[in-house]
Amino acid sequence: MKFTIAIHGGAGNINPQNYTPEDIKVYEEKLKESLNAGFNILQGGGNAIDAVVASVKVMEDSPLFNAGVGGVFANNAMVELDACIMDGKTLNAGGVTSVHKIKNPIEGALRVMEDSPHTLLSGNGAELFAYKQGLELVPNKHFHTKKRYDQFKKAQEKKKIMVDHSMGTVGAVAMDKQGNLAAATSTGGMTNKFYGRVSDTSIVGAGNYANNKTCAISGTGTGDQFIKTVFAYDISAQMEFASKTLEEAGKISLQKLAEIKGHGGFIGIDRKGNIQMDFNCSGMFRGFKNESENFVAIFKGD
Ligand code: ASP
């Protein structure tokens, strides 16, 4: 059976003139490292859940992306993190939101899915649960970077919530050798967001969804519109109830997003292992890998 992993590291106002060739190389190398982490698990016969967690963790640990280390600051000068994971075989899902201390929020989401009767845990409760599960907790400073702090200060001066700085949410979708699908997504949200704001990333069906009947989706962009259009589930529902292909459904959902002034993109995989990576903005850090192809790209038209 064919197996594939696809990843993204955020979509948005990503233009070639803002990146040096060295910057591009650094991003591409990290995307490849993330793809390899998931691919190696799939190749060894591991399941899609473990693969998407491994890929997301590489990007959470990198300061290049708005997830884990390098997450953006909320208006309380803290990095507040959200993550969600979903198993397409069982429709089991788990998420954490507004957490400050879980070193790898995607592992928190995984534990919620596997070891709790709940689907989404927030704040202190999520952190206590993660601690009891033996996950590593770190001081919030662990996630801080100068670049994000400077962006936060600028946003505060302008009294704005900066969507542009949100670029860098990370996600992965995969199909394993058994044909099972999974999706995982992790974010710091938006610069200067009101603390306690919940992202699409942590909400099943908004920024993250997987169902073996249809597809696995991980989204990135202006999350509030992803919540309002129930973006990731909308793609799946069109495939299930209107016989759309992943590509057709994705285009329609991106159009619905644009109609309410939302922008961003998604990566998706259908039950045959077809990959779709589409966005309605200027760029998306993205890539996929299977036994015959290995692709990474950043800008439109790449
Ligand atoms: N969707 C994320 C959020 O709204 C941000 C992003 O994808 O960059 O929190």
Side-chain angles (χ1 to χ4, degrees):
M1 185 94 184
K2 187 169 153 186
F3 59 92
T4 302
I5 179 116
I7 58 163
H8 71 78
N13 210 0
I14 301 169
N15 293 302
Q17 63 269 25
N18 299 330
Y19 296 86
T20 65
E22 290 74 38
D23 292 338
I24 291 173
K25 208 168 173 289
V26 170
Y27 273 101
E28 287 181 346
E29 286 308 313
K30 195 49 85 175
L31 292 173
K32 285 181 192 159
E33 185 186 330
S34 164
L35 279 173
N36 284 336
F39 178 83
N40 290 340
I41 289 176
L42 296 175
Q43 195 175 40
N47 65 42
I49 288 289
D50 291 341
V52 291
V53 169
S55 286
V56 164
K57 270 180 73 178
V58 169
M59 293 186 281
E60 284 183 339
D61 289 336
S62 162
L64 294 175
F65 306 100
N66 173 20
V69 178
V72 299
F73 285 79
N75 70 349
N76 60 354
M78 303 272 274
V79 172
E80 278 200 358
L81 303 165
D82 294 8
C84 181
I85 187 157
M86 188 157 181
D87 182 345
K89 183 182 172 191
T90 58
L91 300 188
N92 204 4
V96 292
T97 184
S98 307
V99 295
H100 300 136
K101 297 181 193 150
I102 303 176
K103 180 166 176 276
N104 288 102
I106 199 62
E107 287 193 326
L110 178 67
R111 296 271 64 85
V112 171
M113 176 171 90
E114 293 196 332
D115 298 314
S116 88
H118 307 303
T119 308
L120 183 58
L121 288 181
S122 69
N124 293 342
E127 284 162 356
L128 178 61
F129 174 76
Y131 173 75
K132 288 188 166 186
Q133 289 291 318
L135 294 188
E136 189 175 354
L137 299 189
V138 291
N140 197 249
K141 246 188 159 1
H142 170 80
F143 304 110
H144 295 189
T145 56
K146 183 174 180 323
K147 177 177 142 198
R148 296 304 191 191
Y149 189 72
D150 292 347
Q151 289 176 340
F152 166 60
K153 282 285 152 201
K154 270 199 195 126
Q156 282 210 317
E157 274 160 31
K158 291 187 185 159
K159 296 193 170 33
K160 271 197 165 161
I161 296 166
M162 306 299 280
V163 179
D164 279 0
H165 298 161
S166 73
M167 306 174 319
T169 289
V170 306
V173 295
M175 185 176 83
D176 62 28
K177 285 184 179 174
Q178 283 69 46
N180 292 317
L181 304 181
T185 313
S186 181
T187 192
M190 292 180 178
T191 304
N192 205 27
K193 67 184 176 183
F194 207 104
Y195 76 95
R197 179 256 187 186
V198 176
S199 70
D200 61 314
T201 302
S202 54
I203 299 176
V204 172
N208 196 74
Y209 189 72
N211 186 337
N212 273 7
K213 273 194 203 163
T214 53
C215 60
I217 302 289
S218 172
T220 167
T222 54
D224 295 279
Q225 286 86 351
F226 277 69
I227 296 172
K228 289 168 193 163
T229 58
V230 200
F231 184 88
Y233 178 71
D234 190 54
I235 295 178
S236 171
Q238 291 180 66
M239 293 173 72
E240 185 172 359
F241 304 118
S243 305
K244 299 286 183 202
T245 64
L246 173 60
E247 183 178 357
E248 291 165 348
K251 293 219 179 299
I252 292 168
S253 297
L254 281 175
Q255 180 56 36
K256 290 185 192 173
L257 193 73
E259 279 162 18
I260 59 164
K261 298 192 168 56
H263 64 261
F266 73 93
I267 52 169
I269 185 165
D270 69 15
R271 63 203 176 90
K272 294 196 175 123
N274 297 309
I275 295 286
Q276 188 65 19
M277 305 191 288
D278 205 357
F279 45 98
N280 66 5
C281 46
S282 54
M284 179 163 78
F285 298 100
R286 62 197 186 279
F288 72 92
K289 184 167 179 171
N290 55 35
E291 279 187 307
S292 52
E293 294 153 293
N294 190 2
F295 172 85
V296 292
I298 301 176
F299 309 109
K300 216 171 194 124
D302 278 356

